Structure formats: structure tokens, C-alpha cells
Amino acid sequence: MSRLRVAGSRLLGFFRKRRSDENLDAEVGSHLQFLTEENIRRGMGLKEARHAARREFGGLEQTKEAYRARRGLPFLDTLVQDVRYSVRTLVQSPGFTAVVVLTLALGIGANTAIFSVVRAVLLRSLSFPHADRLVLIWATNATNGEMHDVASYPDFEDWKAQSKSFESVAAFTTRGAILTTEKQAERVPAVQASAAFFDTLGVHPQLGRAFSSNEQQPGAHRVVLLSDLFWKQHFAQRADALGQIVRINEEAFTIIGVMPPGFEIHPGRSEQIYMPMVRDANRNHGFLMVLGRLRPKVSMSAAQAEMDVITRSLAAQFPRSDKGVGANVVPLTDAFLGPARTGLLIMLGVVTLVLLIACSNVASVMLARGAARQREMAVRAALGAGRKRLLRQLLTESILLALAGGATGLL
């Protein structure tokens, strides 16, 4: 309870600082007056008596600081004082303040922008369940050294049927499509995929259903799924969008579902529609990207070794189309973001160097300003300010400049 009372008394003293300071000044003044009168009775003159009283009493400011430390919350008191003094000092030196803030803003702004891109592209994981088990199976070509080639539909079917390392395997291809509604016609990014595509990703429509394997057959009823953004922009989030007819490349498609918000296969591509893929029996026609989900506890190297065996077997069975054709199993994140990784990391290194240069320039300006303030620091030390007090004041000024530079850089 005693600690609570002390804490409450200190908190109350912090909010009654002005009254407490007035009482303190009055008390100190009465002590000095008493000592002055005592010295006068000893035979001193008025001026001499006052000087002697001050010497006998000791440093006035140190005494007040010691009293304030016991009275309220000294850390908050001095922090408020430092902030106020720092703001006044910086306002009185607008040229210095502007140079430091703008220099920091340029360095911090560039780093914020580039790091935001790097975080969104490289550091943030794909928004699919257990995305670490998702892989892309590229076809390879020993003839020209291509390691990231597309596969034919028959090869995809053989890979899917013969592999045991994958929980599921699906295929898709990206394309553009002319979509015509009642109001307008526009070219939109589209995806054609096999029936197991959404199950492999672990994502299901928020409205309606995904397409089935029967809808992949030639001549089957044409169906389409919409992205959440397209549904909001063209159908105002109406549930009766299901069952409506849209024309894609001059053919009628029935809307059967809407994908969840934020769903996209290629980061940044923002596909608008998803259609079932029609089987192409030509083994020489490569146009598919093959997606796989590894079984639990199956490593990437084990899946790669299995695919090597499968592709060698297919090359022996179909030498005219599959000779030299292999498979390259890579994590889905690396497959989509690999080409951009090197450039983004280089750019991040460059802007980091820019920030270091900015910090170096600010340090030089601060050093020059510190040399010009030696007289001020000497006067403050003579008045009783300790080394820690002076360092805290300078640190407060630096923090205010850093915050101002950071805020400007974020803009």
C-alpha cells in the first residue's frame, strides 16, 4: 500500500507541477531571505549578505532538480522539458532542420518503397494453405538447355498418373480473353485449368462451385468462374450472377462460381476469369504449366528423382516427341518470383547504400552543429547540467529529427 501511495503521490505531483513549482520557489526564496537576514545581523552589507546566502544555500537549480525528482515523475518531467526545448531549438534553425529532414526523407522514402515491394513479392508467402508443399513442374529440353518450358497435355496426364510423390497434380495456362457483357466488351487476363486445379491449391469458390472433369471434355457445356474483383465491378456482388451468360471470345459461357477476395495465381497479374481446359491430344504441343502438391514428408529432391525416372521412361516410349524432355521440380514461390528476385535484391542493396550515405551526411551536419554549440553546452554545464542531462537533450533532438525525416519519407 505504501508503494501505491507513493506512486499516486508522484502521479498527482506530475499533473500539479506548476503549483508545486510555485510552492518550491516560495520555499527556496524564504530560505534565502532567512540566510540573508542572518548575514546582515552579522554585520554584512545587503549585497554581500545575498551573495553569501546563495553560497551557503548551494546550487539553486540542483536543489530544485533534486526536489522535483522526489516529488513527481522525473523521467516524464525532463522528457517534456527536453522535447519543448528541442522543438524551440529546431524551429530557430530552419535551414539546418530542413536539410536534415529532407536528407533523411530521401533515404528512408526510397528504402520504404523498395522494401514494401520486396516484402510483398519475396518475403510474404503465397496465400495458399501449406504453400511450402506447392511446386511447379517445368518441362526441360536437353537440346536447347531450357529448364523452364511448358508441357504437353499427354505428358501432363502421364506425369499425374505415374507419380506417387504428389498428393494432387493439375495443369493450367494463362491467356487473354475478350469478355463481352451486356454493357461492354473488354480484354481480361484469363486462366484455363484442369478440374483438380483449385483442389491442388487448396482454394475453393466463395460462391457457387468449381468446374468438374466432365466440363473439360470437348463439346461439354462451357462454364466460367469469376474473380472477386470482376464480380464486384460488373455484378455489384449480386448472388444472382450465378447462372448468367457471358460471352468469351464470341462463345457463350455460364457463370458457375466466384473466387475468394485476393485470390490470384500469378502475383500481380490479377486474373479475372477461370475456365476449364479442353484436352489436347497432341504430344508435341507444349502449352501447360503443371502444378503439384507434395505429399506430407516428401522432399523436393525425392519428387525430382521420381520425375526423372518418369520422363526417361516417356522418352523411351515416345522418342519422336519426348526425346530429351525432362522435368524440373521447383517451389511455386521460386517459379513465379525467381526472375524478379535478383533485380529486387540488387535494388534493395542500392537503396540501403543510399540510406547509409544519407545517414553519413546527417552525421556530418550534426557534428558541425555540435561544434558550433560548444558555448551553449558550456553555459548549461556551468549552470549545473550534468553530462547525462546534456546527452539526453541532444538525443531528444536527434530523435525528433529522425521522426520528422521518417514521416516525410513515408509520404
Side-chain angles (χ1 to χ4, degrees):
M1 291 299 293
S2 60
R3 290 184 179 180
L4 289 177
R5 283 197 298 269
V6 171
S9 176
R10 284 181 174 272
L11 185 61
L12 189 62
F14 175 74
F15 289 105
R16 292 182 175 179
K17 184 171 60 174
R18 178 176 296 181
R19 182 187 301 177
S20 298
D21 285 344
E22 292 175 354
N23 295 335
L24 176 60
D25 290 338
E27 186 175 352
V28 170
S30 64
H31 277 285
L32 289 175
Q33 182 65 27
F34 174 79
L35 292 175
T36 300
E37 293 174 355
E38 183 69 23
N39 290 334
I40 290 175
R41 284 195 295 270
R42 291 175 183 173
M44 297 182 184
L46 178 60
K47 186 175 181 180
E48 183 183 0
R50 287 176 177 173
H51 284 298
R54 286 180 175 274
R55 287 195 302 270
E56 185 177 350
F57 187 84
L60 292 179
E61 292 303 321
Q62 291 91 330
T63 302
K64 290 180 179 180
E65 287 292 332
Y67 173 79
R68 292 189 186 104
R70 295 192 301 270
R71 177 194 67 194
L73 301 174
F75 175 76
L76 289 180
D77 283 334
T78 55
L79 178 61
V80 171
Q81 293 173 9
D82 290 341
V83 169
R84 288 176 177 173
Y85 182 79
S86 298
V87 170
R88 289 197 302 268
T89 302
L90 296 177
V91 169
Q92 291 170 0
S93 304
F96 163 79
T97 304
V99 168
V100 172
V101 170
L102 291 178
T103 302
L104 288 175
L106 290 174
I108 294 173
N111 275 266
T112 301
I114 298 301
F115 182 77
S116 298
V117 176
V118 170
R119 179 181 180 275
V121 175
L122 299 182
L123 302 182
R124 189 178 64 185
S125 61
L126 297 174
S127 56
F128 304 124
H130 305 289
D132 56 313
R133 289 164 49 196
L134 290 173
V135 298
L136 209 61
I137 310 171
W138 293 107
T140 63
N141 192 320
T143 304
N144 57 21
E146 178 61 58
M147 296 297 294
H148 302 91
D149 205 352
V150 288
S152 67
Y153 203 105
D155 280 343
F156 153 64
E157 290 180 318
D158 290 333
W159 293 355
K160 179 179 180 180
Q162 299 180 34
S163 62
K164 305 299 181 185
S165 299
F166 302 101
E167 198 172 82
S168 61
V169 179
F172 68 99
T173 184
T174 58
R175 53 177 295 188
I178 304 298
L179 188 144
T180 306
T181 62
E182 296 178 356
K183 298 180 179 180
Q184 62 182 358
E186 59 181 310
R187 185 174 181 84
V188 297
V191 169
Q192 284 186 298
S194 62
F197 178 70
F198 297 108
D199 288 334
T200 302
L201 289 175
V203 179
H204 304 286
Q206 63 169 319
L207 187 67
R209 63 174 180 87
F211 37 77
S212 64
S213 56
N214 294 332
E215 290 165 331
Q216 287 188 243
Q217 302 303 320
H221 180 63
R222 294 184 176 88
V223 295
V224 64
L225 282 87
L226 306 180
S227 71
D228 177 75
L229 180 61
F230 189 90
W231 178 50
K232 290 176 179 177
Q233 291 178 344
H234 293 79
F235 294 94
Q237 293 183 279
R238 300 197 314 270
D240 62 2
L242 299 183
Q244 292 193 31
I245 304 297
V246 293
R247 299 192 67 81
I248 302 175
N249 297 334
E250 300 302 324
E251 296 180 351
F253 283 74
T254 302
I255 301 173
I256 62 170
V258 179
M259 296 308 296
F263 174 78
E264 58 182 16
I265 302 166
H266 282 283
R269 186 173 184 270
S270 300
E271 310 90 7
Q272 300 295 299
I273 57 175
Y274 305 86
M275 301 176 291
M277 181 185 300
V278 178
R279 187 178 188 278
D280 184 346
N282 185 358
R283 194 175 285 272
N284 289 301
H285 180 204
F287 68 104
L288 295 179
M289 289 180 281
V290 180
L291 176 73
R293 179 177 287 275
L294 293 172
R295 294 185 183 276
K297 299 182 180 180
V298 173
S299 65
M300 201 77 63
S301 57
Q304 180 65 63
E306 182 186 49
M307 290 304 302
D308 290 340
V309 173
I310 293 173
T311 52
R312 283 197 295 268
S313 174
L314 293 176
Q317 295 179 52
F318 309 101
R320 296 183 61 181
S321 59
D322 283 52
K323 183 178 180 181
V325 175
N328 180 23
V329 181
V330 298
L332 185 62
T333 304
D334 293 348
F336 285 157
L337 307 179
R341 184 185 301 273
T342 302
L344 286 175
L345 292 179
I346 291 174
M347 186 64 69
L348 183 61
V350 170
V351 295
T352 301
L353 183 60
V354 170
L355 180 60
L356 291 177
I357 294 173
C359 292
S360 176
N361 292 336
V362 169
S364 300
V365 174
M366 295 287 287
L367 183 61
R369 177 175 168 80
R373 297 178 67 185
Q374 287 184 352
R375 179 184 177 84
E376 175 194 343
M377 295 296 112
V379 171
R380 297 187 65 189
L383 292 175
R387 178 176 297 181
K388 291 183 179 179
R389 190 73 177 81
L390 295 176
L391 288 175
R392 186 163 53 189
Q393 175 62 56
L394 295 174
L395 182 61
T396 302
E397 292 182 17
S398 299
I399 291 175
L400 288 178
L401 288 170
L403 290 176
T408 308
L410 288 177
L411 293 177

